[in-house]
Amino acid sequence: MEEQRALAGFAALSQETRLRIVRLLVKAGPEGMAAGAIGEALGGASTSRLSFHLTHLEQAGLIRSRREGRFIIYSAVFATLAGLIEFLMRDCCDGHPDICAPVAAALDCTCDPTLTRET
């Protein structure tokens, strides 16, 4: 990931509401969440406020939207989020992997990729 794209991603995440939205969408997984459900999870955020933050995150490449009938579904772009982490850790430890061990352990996904979510 290039530095300018990383800066845009980190800038988008540096606002509380947008960070909460991304964390919600990461938890929701690839199927994502409808805009209304995101607003409810944020404590009833107004449509205009929510739209502003979703647009900002989408322009930064952190989330994407798709239409399903009357609903707009938003989901995290996991490749971009992984790219941000990789950007931070690319030159980690200057050849001393033991220093990065806590970071690697924190990133160890406890999800079983062979299981699918029930809908």
Side-chain angles (χ1 to χ4, degrees), residues 7-41:
L7 285 169
F10 289 124
L13 291 171
S14 69
Q15 198 280 337
E16 179 183 3
T17 301
R18 291 192 290 269
L19 181 61
R20 289 179 62 204
I21 290 169
V22 169
R23 293 190 64 177
L24 277 171
L25 294 177
V26 166
K27 187 174 181 180
E31 58 271 4
M33 293 176 73
I38 296 168
E40 287 177 23

Side-chain angles (χ1 to χ4, degrees), residues 41-65:
L42 295 176
S46 70
T47 304
S48 62
R49 176 176 170 238
L50 185 61
S51 178
F52 170 80
H53 291 302
L54 290 168
T55 298
H56 198 89
L57 290 167
E58 199 162 16
Q59 288 175 345
L62 300 174
I63 68 171
R64 66 174 53 109
S65 62

